[in-house]
């Protein structure tokens, strides 16, 4: 038990920012440790170890990882719904064009625009609602095992129990329905802006009829197909941007596994040292500094930092304090107190240059540290900053001679395991990379299937709209004696050409878009995806 008053009068204000809450958590945890320590001394006991909740990855990492996945999937869900809503809007607009005479008659009979808009909005909203409910039922029954197995493959979690989640219902049902209502209402309201007389005359063009574009002297079939494309530019633009979105997702879903494979293949070679040992205490019970006789072992200091400005606030990185003659992280010994070296991964990700100033802070603390970049170390395995150990201890308030542990290319065996808090070895890094590949690979497989079906639906729906808008022309062509095969070639091949050209253009656009997320490095004469720009 502990004395609640010993924690102080600090309390976490749930209305404060997340960062402030974390800082308050640290204050409470430190006060709690002092309370337990003082009561242990009174009880003639010993506090051997203490890990606060905010620093216990076994408690928070899985939850934070799942929360990050939840945000990503939620954004994709809403983007998908918005796209489907827009397709619904285009389809309904085509239906309105077909039913223009009936709409004009109803308007002339006294029906208002709002009544007709509600009529045409009802069907997509009902379809969305029914689909969302069916999706919830399947999500709570048939497909829940797919997602659960992903996390069981990645983490050691307690027994899973299915519980009803009102927030999930709101995000997967109510919000999609609201998006569908908003998008379709805007599109259909715009389509209903014409007068009853113009509906009766089927005069639903927004602008005056323009002179037809003069086409080159191509063969008849080529000119006809080109004319079909020019007459349906709005629908083809929707198709183009829809394919662009799908291609970006496909590039991501195929590119991420390749990136993880590249990382797994090269991560060991990119390590600046094979073994890092972080000690619980650097002194034994008698006050003697823990040392090692391992050849090549050297002391180092380490702490976590976060970015405080720029487009990626809160990005995590690691600060190292090293000896003047370090063989693993060599930097000049004559650096000023506020000068640091940064890894090439950090420089590339944040587009930094030598001479730039960066402002960083430690997690759960308010104090900020300003550093000037004096040089860059060629290291793409992580985001790190390096400074002399003396400057490290002075900057972060450690006493002179303090250090965090040892780094060595050889395994250290003469320090007892009870004194080692954590170790970073080649096998540890490979385990992390394999775990990432295993867990994210399942996600990417689902992404690929979803994108494939979304592209199929998009192409089918818009091709159907284009054909329906050209019903009269198709009828005339049939009267003139053209066979179904020839008519299909006139209308479908033009769409096929457009899809192929759009796919090629948007494939390059997808790679270009992902270059804003990943920094691409060249390794052994080939391009390989590197560090993320944002998490």
């Amino acid at each position: 038990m502990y004395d609640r008053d010993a924690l102080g009068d600090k309390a976490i204000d749930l209305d404060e920012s997340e960062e402030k809450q974390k800082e308050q958590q640290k204050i409470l945890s430190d006060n709690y440790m002092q309370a337990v320590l003082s009561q242990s001394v009174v009880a003639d006991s010993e506090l051997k170890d203490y890990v606060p909740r905010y620093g216990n990855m076994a408690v928070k990492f899985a939850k934070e990882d799942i929360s990050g996945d939840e945000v990503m999937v939620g954004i994709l869900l809403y983007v998908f719904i918005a796209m489907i809503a827009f397709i619904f809007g285009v389809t309904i607009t085509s239906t309105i064009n077909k039913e223009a005479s009936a709409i004009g008659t109803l308007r002339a009979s006294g029906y208002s625009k709002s009544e007709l808009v509600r009529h045409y909005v009802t069907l997509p909203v009902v379809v969305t609602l029914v689909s969302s409910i069916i999706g919830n039922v399947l999500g709570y029954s048939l497909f829940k095992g797919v997602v659960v197995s992903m996390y069981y493959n990645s983490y050691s979690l307690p027994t899973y129990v299915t519980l009803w989640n009102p927030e999930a219902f709101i995000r997967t049902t109510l919000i999609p329905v609201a998006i569908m209502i908003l998008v379709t209402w805007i599109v259909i309201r715009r389509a209903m802006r014409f007068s009853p007389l113009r509906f009766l005359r089927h005069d639903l063009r927004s602008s005056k009829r323009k002179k037809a574009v003069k086409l080159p002297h191509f063969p008849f079939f080529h000119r006809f197909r080109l004319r079909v494309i020019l007459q349906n530019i709005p629908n083809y633009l929707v198709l183009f941007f829809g394919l662009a979105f799908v291609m970006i997702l496909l590039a991501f879903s195929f590119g991420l596994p390749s990136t993880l494979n590249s990382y797994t293949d090269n991560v060991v070679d990119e390590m600046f040292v094979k073994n890092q040992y972080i000690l619980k205490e650097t002194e034994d019970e008698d006050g003697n500094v823990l040392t090692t006789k391992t050849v090549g072992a050297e002391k180092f200091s380490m702490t976590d930092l976060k970015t405080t400005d720029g487009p990626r606030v809160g990005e995590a990185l690691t600060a190292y304090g090293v000896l003047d003659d370090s063989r693993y992280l060599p930097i000049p010994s004559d650096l000023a107190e506020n000068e640091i070296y940064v890894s090439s991964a950090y420089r590339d990700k944040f587009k930094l240059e030598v001479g730039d100033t960066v402002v960083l802070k430690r997690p759960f603390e308010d104090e900020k540290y300003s550093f000037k970049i004096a040089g860059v170390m060629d290291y793409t395995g992580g985001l790190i900053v390096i400074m002399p150990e003396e400057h490290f201890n002075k900057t972060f308030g450690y006493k002179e001679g303090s250090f965090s542990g040892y780094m060595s290319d050889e395994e250290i065996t003469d320090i007892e395991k009870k004194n080692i808090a954590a170790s970073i070895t080649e096998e540890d890094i490979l385990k992390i990379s394999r775990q990432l590949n295993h867990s994210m690979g399942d996600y990417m497989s689902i992404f690929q299937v979803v994108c494939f079906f979304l592209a199929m639906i998009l192409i089918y729906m818009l091709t159907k709209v284009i054909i329906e808008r050209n019903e009269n022309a198709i009828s005339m062509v049939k009267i003139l004696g053209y066979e179904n095969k020839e008519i299909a070639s006139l209308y479908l091949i033009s769409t096929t050409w457009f899809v192929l050209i759009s796919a090629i253009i948007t494939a390059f656009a997808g790679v270009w878009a992902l270059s804003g997320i990943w920094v691409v490095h060249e390794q052994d004469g080939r391009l390989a995806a590197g560090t993320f720009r944002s998490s």
Side-chain angles (χ1 to χ4, degrees):
M1 299 295 291
Y2 63 90
D3 184 2
R4 180 68 176 85
D5 295 335
L7 299 181
D9 56 359
K10 296 288 186 179
I12 297 177
D13 184 357
L14 296 178
D15 294 331
E16 295 185 25
S17 67
E18 182 179 354
E19 192 65 28
K20 288 293 184 182
Q21 290 185 34
K22 291 180 179 179
E23 293 170 5
Q24 293 284 11
Q25 287 177 20
K26 182 179 186 302
I27 293 173
L28 291 174
S29 297
D30 291 346
N31 289 341
Y32 176 72
M33 182 186 68
Q34 293 296 329
V36 173
L37 182 61
S38 62
Q39 293 185 25
S40 298
V41 172
V42 172
D44 196 21
S45 301
E46 180 182 1
L47 180 63
K48 293 185 177 180
D49 195 10
Y50 174 78
V51 181
R53 182 186 183 281
Y54 69 83
N56 191 337
M57 300 305 289
V59 173
K60 70 174 187 174
F61 184 77
K63 180 180 178 181
E64 290 180 353
D65 185 42
I66 294 172
S67 298
D69 294 342
E70 180 183 357
V71 172
M72 178 183 68
V73 174
I75 292 173
L76 290 175
L77 167 67
Y78 300 144
V79 172
F80 281 149
I81 293 297
M83 282 188 61
I84 294 172
F86 195 71
I87 293 173
F88 264 117
V90 173
T91 304
I92 294 171
T93 301
S94 176
T95 303
I96 290 173
N97 290 334
K98 289 173 59 179
E99 300 177 353
S101 298
I103 293 172
T105 302
L106 291 172
R107 288 289 311 281
S109 300
Y111 284 88
S112 65
K113 290 181 183 179
S114 300
E115 290 176 307
L116 295 175
V117 168
R118 286 196 298 271
H119 168 74
Y120 284 103
V121 167
T122 300
L123 179 59
V125 171
V126 170
V127 170
T128 304
L129 180 60
V130 172
S131 301
S132 298
I133 293 173
I134 293 174
N136 271 275
V137 172
L138 293 176
Y140 279 97
S141 57
L142 184 61
F143 293 110
K144 68 177 181 180
V146 177
V147 178
V148 171
S149 63
M150 292 182 192
Y151 290 106
Y152 271 128
N153 289 335
S154 303
Y155 306 108
S156 179
L157 298 173
T159 303
Y160 169 76
V161 178
T162 303
L163 298 175
W164 165 254
N165 190 338
E167 182 183 355
F169 179 76
I170 293 172
R171 299 181 65 176
T172 61
T173 303
L174 299 185
I175 293 180
V177 170
I179 293 175
M180 183 65 72
I181 292 174
L182 177 64
V183 174
T184 54
W185 186 87
I186 292 173
V187 172
I188 297 171
R189 182 76 181 180
R190 184 175 181 275
M192 288 288 182
R193 69 188 184 279
F194 303 106
S195 65
L197 183 59
R198 292 186 65 177
F199 273 108
L200 290 171
R201 291 176 175 177
H202 286 264
D203 180 16
L204 303 181
R205 292 180 178 273
S206 300
S207 58
K208 295 182 179 179
R209 186 181 298 274
K210 297 180 180 179
K211 186 177 180 180
V213 177
K214 187 176 181 180
L215 300 178
H217 293 289
F218 293 146
F220 172 76
F221 275 81
H222 292 345
R223 295 181 68 187
F224 194 101
R225 290 164 185 152
L226 186 58
R227 185 72 69 189
V228 170
I229 293 176
L230 293 175
Q231 290 176 346
N232 294 276
I233 286 179
N235 294 321
Y236 280 118
L237 286 177
V238 173
L239 180 60
F240 177 82
F241 287 111
L243 287 175
F245 175 75
V246 170
M247 283 297 179
I248 291 174
L249 291 181
L250 282 175
F252 178 77
S253 62
F254 281 103
L256 183 57
S258 299
T259 300
L260 294 176
N261 289 333
S262 175
Y263 175 76
T264 303
D265 295 338
N266 296 282
V267 64
V268 173
D269 296 333
E270 292 178 353
M271 293 177 66
F272 58 83
V273 65
K274 293 182 179 179
N275 301 285
Q276 297 179 55
Y277 298 91
I278 297 93
L279 304 179
K280 293 180 180 178
E281 297 289 343
T282 56
E283 297 179 352
D284 59 18
E285 296 177 354
D286 298 326
N288 300 317
V289 176
L290 293 175
T291 60
T292 177
K293 297 181 180 179
T294 305
V295 177
E298 65 179 49
K299 297 177 182 178
F300 76 99
S301 298
M302 183 173 68
T303 190
D304 294 328
L305 295 175
K306 285 190 173 184
T307 57
T308 62
D309 54 9
R312 290 169 291 278
V313 175
E315 190 84 21
L317 52 98
T318 304
Y320 283 91
V322 297
L323 302 177
D324 291 342
D325 56 348
S326 174
R327 59 186 293 187
Y328 304 113
L329 293 172
I331 58 173
S333 58
D334 58 348
L335 293 178
E337 285 189 10
N338 69 328
E339 290 184 332
I340 58 173
Y341 265 56
V342 301
S343 64
S344 56
Y346 184 26
R347 175 201 61 190
D348 295 341
K349 182 172 183 177
F350 288 81
K351 297 182 179 180
L352 300 171
E353 300 291 343
V354 173
D356 289 348
T357 299
V358 295
V359 179
L360 307 172
K361 67 183 291 290
R362 300 175 77 178
F364 314 108
E365 294 184 2
D366 285 326
E367 187 175 359
K368 297 180 180 179
Y369 308 94
S370 179
F371 299 106
K372 181 179 179 181
I373 299 177
V376 179
M377 176 184 174
D378 185 17
Y379 174 64
T380 61
L383 309 180
I384 65 172
V385 301
I386 315 158
M387 63 187 76
E389 188 176 45
E390 180 183 355
H391 298 169
F392 181 97
N393 290 332
K394 188 173 182 180
T395 299
F396 298 112
Y398 297 111
K399 66 180 182 180
E400 185 179 353
S402 296
F403 66 100
S404 302
Y406 289 94
M407 60 175 66
S408 171
D409 280 336
E410 302 295 330
E411 183 181 359
I412 295 179
T413 58
D414 54 355
I415 296 180
E416 296 183 26
K417 290 186 177 179
K418 68 178 183 179
N419 295 320
I420 298 176
S423 62
I424 305 173
T425 65
E426 292 182 357
E427 184 59 28
D428 294 327
I429 297 297
L430 287 174
K431 285 179 180 178
I432 293 173
S433 64
R434 286 194 294 264
Q435 185 270 331
L436 281 173
N437 208 344
H438 184 66
S439 61
M440 295 303 293
D442 291 336
Y443 275 120
M444 293 307 103
S445 298
I446 293 175
F447 265 45
Q448 292 164 15
V449 173
V450 170
C451 290
F452 175 74
F453 281 105
L454 183 63
M456 282 181 35
I457 294 171
L458 187 67
I459 294 171
Y460 170 77
M461 294 290 291
L462 292 175
T463 302
K464 181 175 178 291
V465 169
I466 292 169
I467 292 175
E468 288 178 349
R469 291 189 63 180
N470 291 272
E471 284 179 341
N472 293 335
I474 292 173
S475 300
M476 294 299 296
V477 171
K478 277 194 171 187
I479 292 172
L480 293 175
Y482 284 87
E483 298 178 355
N484 290 339
K485 183 179 179 180
E486 293 174 310
I487 297 173
S489 69
L490 287 173
Y491 289 94
L492 297 184
I493 289 181
S494 59
T495 302
T496 303
W497 284 355
F498 188 87
V499 169
L500 290 176
I501 295 172
S502 299
I504 294 172
I505 295 173
T506 54
F508 284 102
V511 175
W512 175 80
L514 288 185
S515 67
I517 302 175
W518 282 299
V519 179
V520 179
H521 301 288
E522 189 170 353
Q523 299 176 344
D524 301 328
R526 63 186 176 84
L527 290 178
T531 53
F532 286 105
R533 285 194 185 277
S534 58
S535 59

